[in-house]
Amino acid sequence: ILNVEQSPQSLHVQEGDSTNFTCSFPSSNFYALHWYRWETAKSPEALFVMTLNGDEKKKGRISATLNTKEGYSYLYIKGSQPEDSATYLCAPQSGGSYIPTFGRGTSLIVHP
Amino acid sequence: GAGVSQSPSNKVTEKGKDVELRCDPISGHTALYWYRQSLGQGLEFLIYFQGNSAPDKSGLPSDRFSAERTGGSVSTLTIQRTQQEDSAVYLCASSSMGWLAGGQETQYFGPGTRLLVL
């Protein structure tokens, strides 16, 4: 089981603000990292799978970067909208494990 | 197509009772995972099924927890003699090939079962 830290724990922003949050994980024996979005009363939904140091992924207004050498990933949301309100989970995997370890998530609330 | 479904969506039980939670994965997915999220905690891995292989039970918190997967499809998680600390959201996920694909696959989650033990 990996030590996964997500910060901040929660975040309130105004509609139109851009925001970012962090996932930290052990840099040794890195294999992959997953980002999920979990809206209230819905199923967690996959955003990205990242595997290579320096990876950048983008999906609409949401993007993510990965630094495996220092053990962190950033998730960015540009021009936040109320529908972006959700908990964002990161889940790194170490080599030899096919089970990702989930962080506690960052809860984002976007106010109209 | 149909996603992962779970039933019941909510379950309230009394301490000491047994409960069964059901998961229907996406058709054709060989890998199935059970997780739970207790209040204020991250998603905690419970058990993993891959095809007909022996399941990875390393995450089950006690011998009161068991799970089976019949015919490589539907899975049931059983909690015997429930305790208040078992109260959590229990999530099921499936993926196409699991470790056979190198373990980097996206998992598709169900909506969860919210279990409350009084």
Side-chain angles (χ1 to χ4, degrees), chain B residues 12-105:
Chain B
V12 181
T13 191
E14 293 179 348
K15 178 180 172 181
K17 301 280 189 183
D18 297 351
V19 295
E20 282 190 354
L21 312 180
R22 177 186 168 108
C23 171
D24 280 275
I26 292 173
S27 178
H29 278 192
T30 62
L32 186 147
Y33 314 75
W34 280 99
Y35 297 89
R36 73 174 177 182
Q37 185 177 44
S38 304
L39 193 63
Q41 302 299 312
L43 279 178
E44 174 190 6
F45 164 72
L46 297 177
I47 188 168
Y48 165 69
F49 294 91
Q50 174 64 56
N52 296 319
S53 302
D56 177 348
K57 304 179 182 180
S58 60
L60 293 178
S62 77
D63 59 9
R64 296 186 296 105
F65 287 72
S66 62
E68 62 179 24
R69 189 179 184 193
T70 53
S73 181
V74 171
S75 178
T76 302
L77 178 70
T78 301
I79 309 173
Q80 295 178 309
R81 305 180 303 281
T82 51
Q83 303 294 311
Q84 288 178 332
E85 63 262 27
D86 299 334
S87 296
V89 177
Y90 288 81
L91 284 167
C92 172
S94 70
S95 67
S96 180
M97 297 178 67
W99 65 263
L100 294 176
Q104 295 173 353
E105 288 185 312

Side-chain angles (χ1 to χ4, degrees), chain A residues 46-65:
Chain A
L47 290 173
F48 307 114
V49 179
M50 309 181 81
T51 57
L52 298 176
N53 185 44
D55 247 358
E56 290 190 33
K57 300 269 184 171
K58 189 174 181 181
K59 185 177 182 178
R61 293 178 293 98
I62 304 176
S63 60
T65 60

